[in-house]
Amino acid sequence: MGQQRQTIEPPLARGWCALAALHNRIEAHIERALQAEHDLSVREFSVLDVLDRQDGYHLRMNEVSDAVVLSQSATTRLVTRLEERGLLSRYLCDTDRRGIYTEVTAAGCELLKLARPTNDAALREALDDAEQRPELAPLVGAVKSLGA
């Protein structure tokens, strides 16, 4: 007979796995809702949202990358797709010709206005669902307390 191997997972790793599971569940739920209602991915929504929350509605491309936690090349591809849909525009910085700014267009602002309630509802649904899982409930409580 073979021996059964018991693995003891350290608390830190267990916590990290729970956090990753919560993130993935939430992101997948929001992705489905945004795609179905607005033909937007979570990342596309995130870029529009980050830009819309800026005072001047624009950021340099490297700032967009940092804000949505994507590589420069992935951000460029994402911004290009949004630009082709007329939701974003890019332009050169007046003071530094190497700098490229990205800003939300009027169409992007309108789509974002329509998509925000969908995003918020999907987030609430995903959190409520995750809260039913004992291993995720403490994390959901922490997330909810951050929004209070």
Side-chain angles (χ1 to χ4, degrees):
M1 295 244 167
Q3 283 183 309
Q4 284 198 352
R5 194 167 138 201
Q6 185 178 12
T7 316
I8 299 174
E9 192 175 19
L12 189 58
R14 204 169 37 252
W16 171 246
C17 286
L19 181 60
L22 178 63
H23 175 270
N24 291 338
R25 290 172 69 86
I26 290 170
E27 187 171 69
H29 190 78
I30 294 171
E31 180 82 26
R32 286 188 298 273
L34 287 173
Q35 282 290 344
E37 296 292 323
H38 308 286
D39 194 28
L40 275 178
S41 71
V42 168
R43 294 288 189 192
E44 291 168 336
F45 176 87
S46 296
V47 167
L48 292 172
D49 187 56
V50 162
L51 289 167
D52 185 62
R53 292 180 190 276
Q54 302 307 307
D55 270 345
Y57 299 104
H58 69 267
L59 285 174
R60 292 178 86 124
M61 287 292 287
N62 64 318
E63 294 170 318
V64 174
S65 294
D66 290 345
V68 296
V69 193
L70 286 174
S71 68
Q72 289 278 338
S73 60
T75 301
T76 299
R77 288 190 301 274
L78 181 59
V79 166
T80 298
R81 281 196 312 270
L82 291 168
E83 190 175 36
E84 287 170 353
R85 290 177 60 187
L87 304 174
L88 292 181
S89 63
R90 285 184 272 196
Y91 61 93
L92 290 175
C93 175
D94 290 336
T95 58
D96 178 3
R97 300 306 264 174
R98 294 169 297 163
I100 298 174
Y101 281 104
T102 303
E103 67 181 351
V104 182
T105 63
C109 286
E110 184 60 30
L111 180 57
L112 186 58
K113 187 171 118 178
L114 296 172
R116 267 200 183 113
T118 303
N119 180 79
D120 294 347
L123 174 58
R124 276 191 299 281
E125 290 168 5
L127 286 170
D128 290 347
D129 180 56
E131 196 168 33
Q132 304 309 308
R133 301 177 66 102
E135 71 277 15
L136 300 179
L139 291 170
V140 171
V143 170
K144 287 182 174 181
S145 73
L146 290 172

